[in-house]
Amino acid sequence: MTFVVTDNCIRCKYTDCVEVCPVDCFYEGENMLVINPDECIDCGVCEPECPADAIISDAAESAEDWLAINAQYAAVWPVITEKKDPLADAEEWNGVPDKLRFLSEEAAETA
Ligand code: SF4
Ligand code: F3S
């Protein structure tokens, strides 16, 4: 069991979630974060922290595709352990439906 990040993170990337994760299992793409399902301990503390309500349990019916996406990108994007500023247009994109089409496969730029 794990939690997964879903498409409402895309183009928002608030990063409040990374602050609370006890096992540092968030990974950062250019415009979305994902959770590594193999590292997540299913504690659930990140879920209420997301201002975009983008984090769900993989027990949810809608989670299956997201589980695969989270696993896929967690394997290639860098870990993120500290909160940073959200993306510039986060407020405008928060709640826009079906944002998967905007997902960037690029990893986040690391300093
Ligand atoms: Fe981290 Fe817990 Fe969220 Fe899993 S459920 S990503 S362990 S905070
Ligand atoms: Fe994304 Fe929500 Fe975290 S928008 S970066 S899952 S706080």
Side-chain angles (χ1 to χ4, degrees):
M1 298 293 287
T2 179
F3 279 70
V4 292
V5 183
T6 66
D7 63 331
N8 208 34
C9 181
I10 296 167
R11 292 196 165 176
C12 291
K13 210 165 78 164
Y14 286 104
T15 72
D16 299 61
C17 52
V18 306
E19 286 273 289
V20 298
C21 181
V23 294
D24 292 341
C25 65
F26 282 91
Y27 291 78
E28 185 183 11
E30 189 178 34
N31 67 8
M32 180 187 187
L33 300 195
V34 291
I35 291 168
N36 183 333
D38 293 331
E39 294 173 348
C40 173
I41 57 170
D42 206 35
C43 70
V45 298
C46 57
E47 183 187 20
E49 296 299 323
C50 175
D53 290 332
I55 301 175
I56 62 172
S57 166
D58 78 335
E61 226 169 78
S62 55
E64 199 173 318
D65 292 348
W66 295 112
L67 183 58
I69 287 170
N70 279 244
Q72 176 184 348
Y73 291 107
V76 290
W77 290 348
V79 70
I80 172 172
T81 58
E82 289 181 8
K83 181 172 165 53
K84 53 162 75 170
D85 288 340
L87 295 179
D89 298 334
E91 292 301 311
E92 285 85 69
W93 284 102
N94 187 357
V96 173
D98 301 327
K99 289 195 283 182
L100 181 57
R101 62 191 187 279
F102 301 121
L103 174 64
S104 166
E105 297 192 335
E106 297 297 316
E109 282 181 26
T110 47

